[in-house]
Amino acid sequence: MEPRWSYKSNVWPDWCPGCGNFGILTALLKALEELSLDPSQTVIVSGIGCSGKTPHFVNVNGVHTLHGRAIPFATGIKLANPGLKVIVHGGDGDLLGIGAGHFVALGRRNIDVTVILHDNGVYGLTKGQASPTLPLKARTKSLAKPNIQQPVNPVLLALSSGYTFVARGYAFDGAYLKNLIKMAVQHRGAAFIDVLQPCITFNDVYTADFYRKAVYKLESDPGWDPVVKTSEEASVKLMRAVEKSLEWGDRIPVGVFYVNPHVSTFEERLGERLRKYPVQNPSNTPIESAGKPVLSQEAFEKMFKEFIVRVSGTQGR
Ligand SMILES: Cc1ncc(C[n+]2csc(CCOP(=O)(O)OP(=O)(O)O)c2C)c(N)n1
Ligand code: SF4
């Protein structure tokens, strides 16, 4: 069947030939097509970096934001219009360096947003500095001396931050990555995919050859089942996922580490506190009518006074 929409934009991807970002983009385009997501109801949000260019190459709504700020933008978009599908693309410098606090906050809140990490171990756009996922003592060709910092483990950080869908893929296994993206986007809650992405220009340690030898699929163990069936088994499944997340080196697992569909989303919790939120949220609340703000000056002042917090010692002023 012909796809309903064409998701590939006319902007030419200017990544280096052979970059793993191409694999991620292709998998994303295929996933959008197979899910037949309405482009007008889908938003891709990125930060800065080579990975940050992704929204330009996809024919859905897109925002290319500031370094480390893709998740706050995505949070605002989703909470203003909970009906949208929101997907974040970011590099490991973007999401786990300058944006690390926001990365944790999204998991803690379990907002229904998918985060796709282009994990290349370097700051690609700024010419190969060591990024948060490069191991201690690793020395890529762009570093004058071996890396002096400990790495962050993205899967472990996502699990401990509260993401309710956590997976890892590999940029050059497109069919497999496409399925992970589909599952993550369909998951209700904060979803995370760590994508191993060769940067052929600056990282000669984590090459396609390195990954080809090391990567194996979690489900090759017939006993592997990452899905939490009842809330009671959540901690057991989480601990198994944590254990697997520590595996790195000669053998690197890819696949779904953990899925917990039993946790409420931030949007649902907001709806319990603000009863009108599910039907009347910022996206469908008129703010102007016939060129005038809907809220009159008097109504604004009344509302403003209502929410003033009186601080003790100010004698009621
Ligand atoms: C506040 C701020 N600091 C620094 C920069 C410079 N800068 C641009 S891209 C980038 C790093 C991108 O690395 P990463 O997020 O790993 O993405 P990649 O390019 O590897 O995809 C940096 C530090 C910036 N744009 N804004
Ligand atoms: S610098 Fe690295 S990450 Fe950036 S486009 Fe080139 S190969 Fe890809």
Side-chain angles (χ1 to χ4, degrees):
M1 201 173 66
E2 271 296 294
R4 275 178 84 192
W5 287 287
S6 159
Y7 295 95
K8 192 172 172 300
S9 81
N10 293 327
V11 180
W12 179 255
D14 58 352
W15 291 316
C16 311
C19 172
N21 281 329
F22 285 103
I24 303 176
L25 177 64
T26 308
L28 172 74
L29 292 170
K30 197 77 191 141
L32 294 174
E33 189 182 306
E34 288 185 14
L35 290 172
S36 195
L37 289 188
D38 181 343
S40 73
Q41 299 300 305
T42 308
V43 193
I44 295 184
V45 190
S46 71
I48 297 297
C50 300
S51 46
K53 298 176 183 180
T54 307
H56 300 277
F57 310 139
V58 187
N59 231 350
V60 300
N61 295 296
V63 201
H64 187 170
T65 69
L66 309 174
H67 193 30
R69 301 295 177 261
I71 287 179
F73 270 78
T75 299
I77 292 166
K78 182 69 187 178
L79 296 186
N81 186 350
L84 297 174
K85 281 280 179 208
V86 182
I87 306 169
V88 168
H89 279 262
D92 40 308
D94 196 76
L95 292 172
L96 304 177
I98 189 170
H102 303 301
F103 180 83
V104 171
L106 181 60
R108 197 161 65 87
R109 292 174 177 146
N110 197 30
I111 302 177
D112 186 13
V113 164
T114 298
V115 178
I116 299 178
L117 172 67
H118 297 225
D119 185 356
N120 57 14
V122 290
Y123 288 76
L125 194 75
T126 49
K127 308 229 177 304
Q129 297 87 350
S131 80
T133 58
L134 192 69
L136 179 68
K137 296 187 183 159
R139 183 163 172 220
T140 62
K141 62 183 176 187
S142 52
L143 296 180
K145 291 187 176 163
N147 185 20
I148 200 171
Q149 300 185 77
Q150 289 275 13
V152 169
N153 178 333
V155 170
L156 183 59
L157 185 63
L159 290 168
S160 54
S161 301
Y163 283 76
T164 47
F165 178 100
V166 179
R168 182 189 282 135
Y170 172 46
F172 291 141
D173 188 348
Y176 192 71
L177 179 58
K178 172 210 64 180
N179 284 335
L180 293 179
I181 295 175
K182 281 172 72 180
M183 282 187 260
V185 169
Q186 287 176 305
H187 174 74
R188 190 192 110 273
F192 172 65
I193 311 176
D194 175 25
V195 188
L196 307 172
Q197 178 234 318
C199 165
I200 57 128
T201 305
F202 296 114
N203 193 337
D204 56 344
V205 175
Y206 288 153
T207 58
D209 200 38
F210 169 85
Y211 285 129
R212 198 171 32 248
K213 288 180 191 137
V215 159
Y216 77 95
K217 299 195 167 101
L218 281 165
E219 60 270 25
S220 59
D221 168 0
W224 183 254
D225 176 8
V227 183
V228 174
K229 307 286 183 321
T230 60
S231 304
E232 290 70 43
E233 72 171 27
S235 57
V236 177
K237 293 260 158 110
L238 186 62
M239 284 315 292
R240 277 192 70 187
V242 164
E243 211 175 292
K244 273 288 171 199
S245 76
L246 299 177
E247 218 172 285
W248 186 269
D250 293 343
R251 277 170 65 73
I252 302 174
V254 293
V256 180
F257 283 73
Y258 182 72
V259 188
N260 188 348
H262 305 284
V263 183
S264 62
T265 63
F266 193 73
E267 303 88 294
E268 288 162 354
R269 291 173 220 157
L270 258 186
E272 280 166 24
R273 185 170 296 188
L274 308 167
R275 292 280 169 201
K276 287 185 185 163
Y277 177 73
V279 281
Q280 192 185 348
N281 43 60
S283 70
N284 54 19
T285 304
I287 56 168
E288 59 109 44
S289 168
K292 293 210 171 98
V294 165
L295 200 64
S296 68
Q297 183 71 17
E298 300 74 51
F300 175 76
E301 281 173 13
K302 185 167 171 284
M303 198 167 83
F304 193 74
K305 278 191 188 135
E306 221 171 276
F307 288 104
I308 283 181
V309 177
R310 300 213 180 276
V311 180
S312 66
T314 59
Q315 294 164 340
R317 270 176 285 147

